[in-house]
């Protein structure tokens, strides 16, 4: 309906190289009455798939970050705390 058309109008310049980045670990367990939905990202992705907006985008599932990647922005002591 109207929402589907409005969503398509927003993304007129769909670029097949534009990624949609999603991983199932983005779903987080939150209490039922929590003010945020712990599944909002999977629900959004499902909605975009249902209305056909993901077909022209690159879908990417990220891999875990390595210590080397983290070292670009964080001190070694902080990385050691995470491991």
């Amino acid at each position: 309906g109207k929402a589907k058309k409005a969503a398509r109008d927003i993304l007129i310049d769909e670029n097949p190289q534009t990624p949609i980045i999603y991983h199932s670990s983005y779903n987080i367990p939150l209490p039922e009455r929590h003010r945020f939905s712990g599944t909002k990202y999977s629900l959004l992705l499902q909605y975009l798939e249902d209305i056909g907006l993901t077909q022209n985008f690159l879908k990417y599932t990220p891999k875990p970050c390595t210590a080397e990647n983290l070292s670009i922005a964080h001190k070694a002591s902080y990385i050691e705390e995470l491991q």
Side-chain angles (χ1 to χ4, degrees):
K2 289 182 184 179
K4 188 174 184 178
K5 183 180 181 325
R8 285 184 190 275
D9 290 346
I10 290 169
L11 295 171
I12 289 172
D13 295 326
E14 295 175 10
N15 180 344
Q17 299 308 306
T18 301
I20 293 178
I21 301 169
Y22 174 77
H23 192 281
S24 61
S25 67
Y26 295 167
N27 287 328
I28 55 174
L30 293 174
E32 188 175 325
R33 302 190 132 217
H34 196 279
R35 65 187 292 189
F36 299 108
S37 168
T39 59
K40 64 184 171 185
Y41 299 114
S42 62
L43 293 172
L44 174 61
L45 181 61
Q46 184 62 55
Y47 174 74
L48 294 174
E49 287 174 346
D50 289 348
I51 64 172
L53 285 179
T54 59
Q55 62 192 3
N56 294 326
F57 291 85
L58 174 67
K59 294 176 197 146
Y60 178 75
T61 301
K63 295 177 175 71
C65 191
T66 65
E68 183 180 353
N69 293 139
L70 288 172
S71 70
I72 295 169
H74 299 285
K75 293 181 179 182
S77 60
Y78 175 73
I79 297 169
E80 289 171 12
E81 289 178 32
L82 295 176
Q83 295 176 330

